[in-house]
């Protein structure tokens, strides 16, 4: 059942003493069969709704049409609307559903909820970045619906090499990673992750999803994200860091930094990941006041080459015979571009 339809049916039940499946069908422009299925699903989900059989029957709420179905406290209501204001990152469907839900709240909660919706602005853009906001992927709603209904889908997909394939998958969950959306699903080849913006078609089936009993979407995504990060940054540099430099390293490398134990001299063992020895050496070169890189040899060689270039470029300002003695970088060595940073795309 779609979330916006669920909210609409709840509002109908609250506004009227009783509704029939035909009335729900007319209001929501759906079939009577779908209306009955949705009403049955509400009861199975724990909503206090029951049917009255016979002539003049219909569907009612336990306790009367003005029952507070939300079950929200004042603080919970405020929290919901704080994250669903006009400048928030939630989808328009979620925002519209919450706007409708405010009418189902007890009267004392409504003013605070409405005030909360305009009390917080969440701007995900970094300073200097583009103001263009990405549109939701084309098939996001269909995949979310398949996850919620627990049905398999025939999925058309275009991979990174622009090769199109089609397969039947078992949708387990949807994950938003920055501006990108991902579908986590099981396939004949095992658990896979699909970028939703690369999905070319979605054809839901009536076959149920086979969901592992121990599956946890958050834990599964952590494992996927860790694996992706390691594939993106396969080079590991080992170093020892002065204690006062750990904070600098955390700001510079974020998740690419692993902090180990303290040594007898007070220095701390660290591992810093990158996707290229040359670029990683360029990042580390400016941190020599804090770091001593112990390996691997390739990164140490690149660091030595960085030092050679720096001396050759800036030591040439010296006058006299010493200027001619400035060492030259090894053949084929490329100086890092100014401002070059190893960023995970």
């Amino acid at each position: 059942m779609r979330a916006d339809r669920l909210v609409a049916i709840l509002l109908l039940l609250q506004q009227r003493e009783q509704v029939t499946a035909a009335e729900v069908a007319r209001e929501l422009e759906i079939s009577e069969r779908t209306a009955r299925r949705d009403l049955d699903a509400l009861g199975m989900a724990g909503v206090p709704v029951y049917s009255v059989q016979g002539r003049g029957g219909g569907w009612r709420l336990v306790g009367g049409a003005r029952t507070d179905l939300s079950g929200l406290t004042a603080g919970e209501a405020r929290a919901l609307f704080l994250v669903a204001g006009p400048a928030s990152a939630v989808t328009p469907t979620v925002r519209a559903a919450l706007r409708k839900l405010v009418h189902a709240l007890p009267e004392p909660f409504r003013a605070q909820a409405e005030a909360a919706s305009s009390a917080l602005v969440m701007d995900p853009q970094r300073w200097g970045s583009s103001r263009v906001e990405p549109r939701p992927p084309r098939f996001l709603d269909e995949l979310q619906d398949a996850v919620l209904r627990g049905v398999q889908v025939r999925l058309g997909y275009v991979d990174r090499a622009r090769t199109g394939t089609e397969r039947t998958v078992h949708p387990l969950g949807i994950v938003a990673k920055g501006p990108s959306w991902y579908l986590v699903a099981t396939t004949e080849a095992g658990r896979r992750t699909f970028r939703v913006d690369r999905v070319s078609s979605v054809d839901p089936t009536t076959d149920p999803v086979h969901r592992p009993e121990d599956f946890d979407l958050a834990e599964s995504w952590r494992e996927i994200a860790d694996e992706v990060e390691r594939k993106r940054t396969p080079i590991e540099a080992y170093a020892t860091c002065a204690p006062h430099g750990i904070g600098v390293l955390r700001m510079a490398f974020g998740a690419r930094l692993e902090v180990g134990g303290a040594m007898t001299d007070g220095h701390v063992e660290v591992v810093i990941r990158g996707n290229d020895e040359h670029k990683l050496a360029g990042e580390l070169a400016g941190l020599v006041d804090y770091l001593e890189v112990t390996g691997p040899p390739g990164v140490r060689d690149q660091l030595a080459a960085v030092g050679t270039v720096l001396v050759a470029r800036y030591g040439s300002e010296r006058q006299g015979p010493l200027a001619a003695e400035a060492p030259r970088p090894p053949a084929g060595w490329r100086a890092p571009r100014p401002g070059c940073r190893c960023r995970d795309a």
Side-chain angles (χ1 to χ4, degrees):
M1 191 192 315
R2 292 178 61 86
D4 52 353
R5 213 161 68 214
L6 165 65
V7 174
I9 293 174
L10 288 177
L11 289 174
L12 283 175
L13 287 166
Q14 290 229 20
Q15 292 168 355
R16 306 177 186 180
E17 183 177 349
Q18 179 176 292
V19 297
T20 65
E23 291 172 338
V24 171
R26 283 196 302 270
E27 290 278 352
L28 304 184
E29 298 181 351
I30 58 177
S31 67
E32 287 192 35
R33 180 180 178 184
T34 299
R36 293 192 191 94
R37 185 184 65 194
D38 289 351
L39 287 161
D40 285 332
L42 282 176
M44 294 176 62
V47 175
V49 59
Y50 68 99
S51 61
V52 178
Q53 303 298 322
R55 186 174 182 178
W59 295 79
R60 297 187 177 194
L61 291 171
V62 175
R66 299 310 306 168
T67 300
D68 172 28
L69 295 181
S70 68
L72 299 174
T73 66
E76 290 168 341
R78 288 195 301 269
L80 272 178
F81 286 88
L82 273 172
V83 299
S88 72
V90 299
T91 65
T93 300
V94 172
R95 195 176 299 129
L98 286 173
R99 291 276 158 250
K100 296 174 183 177
L101 182 61
V102 73
H103 298 292
L105 294 171
E107 188 66 35
F109 293 0
R110 293 183 193 174
Q112 294 183 24
E114 290 174 342
S117 69
S118 60
L120 176 68
V121 170
M122 299 176 67
D123 185 353
Q125 299 290 338
R126 294 184 179 181
W127 295 112
S129 63
S130 171
R131 298 298 304 175
V132 177
E133 296 184 4
R135 296 180 180 178
R138 177 183 174 189
F139 293 103
L140 179 60
D141 285 345
E142 288 86 344
L143 291 172
Q144 287 176 327
D145 186 62
V147 170
L148 294 176
R149 292 194 295 120
V151 296
Q152 301 176 36
V153 299
R154 285 185 288 273
L155 189 75
Y157 192 71
V158 179
D159 63 17
R160 191 175 300 176
R162 297 186 178 180
T163 302
T165 59
E166 186 172 307
R167 72 199 85 187
T168 298
V169 303
H170 298 244
L172 300 177
I174 303 287
V175 175
K177 175 72 171 176
S180 301
W181 294 83
Y182 295 87
L183 168 69
V184 179
T186 53
T187 69
E188 291 182 352
R191 193 169 301 169
R192 294 291 185 269
T193 304
F194 302 91
R195 275 186 60 146
V196 178
D197 58 358
R198 291 183 183 158
V199 173
S200 58
S201 64
V202 174
D203 183 14
T205 72
T206 57
D207 299 324
V209 165
H210 301 310
R211 188 182 184 90
E213 292 183 2
D214 60 346
F215 177 76
D216 180 272
L217 180 60
E219 179 61 31
S220 179
W221 180 252
R222 279 193 291 270
E223 295 173 358
I224 293 169
D226 288 346
E227 181 180 356
V228 170
E229 286 292 343
R230 291 196 176 277
K231 287 182 178 179
R232 286 175 175 268
T233 55
I235 305 300
E236 293 185 341
Y238 305 95
T240 60
C241 179
H244 62 279
I246 294 295
V248 177
L249 295 188
R250 291 190 192 279
M251 289 189 292
F253 299 104
R256 293 190 289 138
L257 170 70
E258 295 180 15
V259 179
M263 303 172 65
T264 55
D265 62 357
H267 282 66
V268 180
E269 295 179 320
V270 296
V271 178
I272 302 166
R273 299 195 309 274
N275 61 0
D276 177 90
E277 288 185 347
H278 174 70
K279 292 179 181 178
L280 185 56
E283 293 181 287
L284 297 174
L287 301 171
V288 293
D289 284 347
Y290 310 106
L291 285 176
E292 179 180 349
V293 176
T294 58
V299 175
R300 287 173 57 89
D301 291 344
Q302 291 289 339
L303 279 168
V306 170
T308 299
V309 170
L310 291 174
V311 171
R313 180 166 298 174
Y314 299 105
S316 60
E317 298 177 359
R318 295 176 298 173
Q319 302 297 319
L322 289 178
E325 299 175 3
R328 296 181 177 274
W333 190 84
R334 299 173 290 115
R337 290 172 295 170
C340 177
R341 297 183 62 188
C342 179
R343 296 184 62 184
D344 297 330

